[in-house]
Amino acid sequence: MRRCGYCDFNTYTATDMGAGASRGNYANMVVREMRLVRDWQLVHGIEEPPVSTVFFGGGTPTILPACDLVMMLDAVRGLWGIEPEAEITTEANPDTVDERYIGALAEGGFTRVSFGMQSAVPHVLKNLDRTHTPANVEAGVRAADRAGLRSSVDLIYGAPGESLDDWRDSVRTAVDLGVNHVSAYALTVEPTTKMGRQIAAGTLPKPDDDDEAAKYEIADDLFAAAGLEWYEISNWSRPGYESRHNLGYWRNVDWAGLGPGAHSHYNTVMGSSTDGDAANSDAAGDVSASVTSTSLRGWDIAHPRMWGMAINDGRVPWSGDETISPTENLEELIMLGLRIREGLDIGRVNRHIEAVNRAQDAAQGTLRIIDDACLTPLVGDGLITLDPTTGHAVATRRGRLLNDAVIERMFGAVGL
């Protein structure tokens, strides 16, 4: 197993692990973290509902034995409970799973597998440093079908050397697999990655914005023709097959991250967490907290050795946290709402603005509510539509392609 050239995930070699965080003991350490987290929640009066989604990802969780993933899932069930119809997903490198592995996941309670397909074109896969073949992806999807699991595939567009025809082939191949969910992301190149260094040295071309926009439009057209509707800027599915876990992120619910470098989020802050403790549950919590309350975001220690040492010391292994103010919550509400098909709830945003204005010192200035003077220019420029039934502002395809600009204009209109 090796890191792909574009990958900047939190990855380490086996010799880096240590402190009980070795691959062979990793699942046990995560279960220990869960217990510490649950204790932290009880001390701070945080009672999350049963878990509605669990997602194993952020790399290649399937390098672990299937029984380890099932053991961690069983621990979630024992500590927090899992809803009867919960969505349980793992990401999978097609090279690391087979019929027996996927069958074990299904038997252990998983409901969904997200395969890292990236491309169906061999020379593009080579430039991405991917070792799997298109045949591996199809074999994994078919195994998931036979096991009764839902499948999703991830694609990346804008890779060096990828033509428009290459991209069309990849999208059509994904559609022909018959999956009910596809994610398609523009290649992001970080300077510290192998690919970032190659681009800086001039041995690979850097991604081109116009090329990526053209490829997004190709994907959107082909997915729509196949019955896959966009529900978030980079995600398409058949109705009812949206990723509930990812929608939780975009709706800004409570979530918990377990493992080195994982992030957690709570909509209501209950006490200080600067001692390195954390609250994690993978539960999608109630988002009806007061709009004037603050939220909490925290993150686990990134290095597995230090992460493991904290757990061995009996501490939930946060390396830091931040309190998100009501104004910052408003910013996130706008940003996330403009990413999803259900759109930005204008009424909810305005209620939040009014509450912030009532709560903050007049010297800080007054935020402006979203009204026709704000929305009409965005509609006129073809960036959003207004849903007459819900009153939500929904990004058009042009608005999705220019999402950062739409958000910036919305911020400016309300005075952020």
Side-chain angles (χ1 to χ4, degrees):
M1 202 64 185
R2 60 174 179 165
R3 179 200 287 259
C4 300
Y6 61 90
C7 177
D8 70 336
F9 285 159
N10 187 38
T11 56
Y12 296 86
T13 65
T15 55
D16 286 331
M17 302 290 274
S22 64
R23 183 184 298 183
N25 198 41
Y26 180 78
N28 292 320
M29 295 297 287
V30 171
V31 171
R32 289 178 62 187
E33 182 182 2
M34 290 184 201
R35 292 175 182 144
L36 292 168
V37 163
R38 183 61 177 146
D39 289 344
W40 186 95
Q41 290 177 333
L42 293 174
V43 167
H44 290 80
I46 298 173
E47 188 61 51
E48 295 286 1
V51 171
S52 62
T53 71
V54 181
F55 193 96
F56 292 78
T60 309
T62 49
I63 63 171
L64 297 175
C67 60
D68 280 3
L69 302 189
V70 172
M71 181 179 76
M72 288 185 276
L73 178 61
D74 286 343
V76 172
R77 184 178 292 107
L79 287 166
W80 288 283
I82 296 179
E83 288 183 359
E85 301 301 319
E87 176 190 273
I88 315 295
T89 304
T90 185
E91 291 184 337
N93 182 320
D95 281 345
T96 63
V97 295
D98 57 18
E99 188 103 21
R100 179 178 295 182
Y101 192 106
I102 289 175
L105 294 179
E107 187 175 337
F110 282 75
T111 64
R112 190 170 176 275
V113 182
S114 179
F115 294 96
M117 176 178 172
Q118 318 313 357
S119 175
V121 179
H123 76 85
V124 176
L125 289 172
K126 182 178 179 180
N127 282 341
L128 290 171
D129 271 348
R130 300 291 292 189
T131 58
H132 72 266
T133 67
N136 295 144
V137 179
E138 182 170 9
V141 170
R142 298 295 166 247
D145 291 343
R146 289 189 288 273
L149 300 182
R150 292 184 176 186
S151 293
S152 173
V153 294
D154 289 355
L155 297 173
I156 290 178
Y157 56 91
E162 179 187 62
S163 69
L164 293 180
D165 285 340
D166 288 338
W167 175 240
R168 287 190 188 92
D169 287 346
S170 292
V171 174
R172 287 172 177 146
T173 300
V175 167
D176 290 345
L177 288 171
V179 296
N180 294 308
H181 186 283
V182 181
S183 300
Y185 302 103
L187 177 65
T188 299
V189 180
E190 299 295 338
T192 56
T193 62
K194 175 184 174 182
M195 181 175 287
R197 293 190 294 271
Q198 289 173 317
I199 289 173
T203 57
L204 284 178
K206 67 180 180 180
D208 177 80
D209 290 344
D210 290 340
D211 174 74
E212 290 186 342
K215 288 172 179 174
Y216 185 91
E217 292 178 328
I218 288 169
D220 200 38
D221 286 340
L222 292 175
F223 290 146
L228 297 162
E229 300 176 354
W230 83 276
Y231 71 94
E232 191 273 342
I233 285 177
S234 300
N235 289 270
W236 291 258
S237 75
R238 301 188 195 283
Y241 287 85
E242 299 85 357
S243 167
R244 290 167 54 196
H245 188 84
N246 286 342
L247 276 173
Y249 291 142
W250 298 316
R251 289 170 176 163
N252 216 22
V253 303
D254 285 8
W255 73 80
L258 300 159
H263 284 230
S264 302
H265 176 270
Y266 280 83
N267 277 297
T268 303
V269 176
M270 298 187 180
S272 169
S273 64
T274 55
D275 58 356
D277 288 346
N280 301 277
S281 72
D282 272 312
D286 185 1
V287 297
S288 61
S290 167
V291 295
T292 58
S293 67
T294 54
S295 298
L296 180 69
R297 181 182 292 114
W299 47 94
D300 273 24
I301 297 167
H303 198 289
R305 185 185 299 274
M306 304 304 294
W307 171 82
M309 289 174 64
I311 293 172
N312 288 336
D313 289 342
R315 295 181 289 112
V316 179
W318 269 9
S319 67
D321 63 80
E322 60 182 347
T323 298
I324 306 168
S325 70
T327 300
E328 291 167 331
N329 270 331
L330 174 62
E331 292 174 349
E332 294 193 358
L333 181 64
I334 292 172
M335 287 190 294
L336 296 170
L338 289 170
R339 289 191 64 88
I340 54 180
R341 188 183 182 95
E342 65 193 55
L344 179 63
D345 185 337
I346 302 300
R348 181 183 179 193
V349 170
N350 283 340
R351 289 191 296 274
H352 194 127
I353 289 171
E354 290 167 354
V356 170
N357 284 341
R358 286 194 300 268
Q360 70 182 11
D361 191 300
Q364 295 175 271
T366 301
L367 297 174
R368 298 179 292 275
I369 65 168
I370 298 175
D371 57 16
D372 288 345
C374 164
L375 297 174
T376 300
L378 292 169
V379 173
D381 289 341
L383 297 170
I384 64 169
T385 60
L386 298 177
D387 187 320
T389 303
T390 64
H392 292 190
V394 181
T396 62
R397 179 194 279 179
R398 173 176 163 79
R400 283 180 268 156
L401 287 168
L402 299 174
N403 188 249
D404 288 347
V406 177
I407 292 168
E408 186 175 338
R409 286 176 62 173
M410 193 73 77
F411 280 1
V414 303
L416 289 169

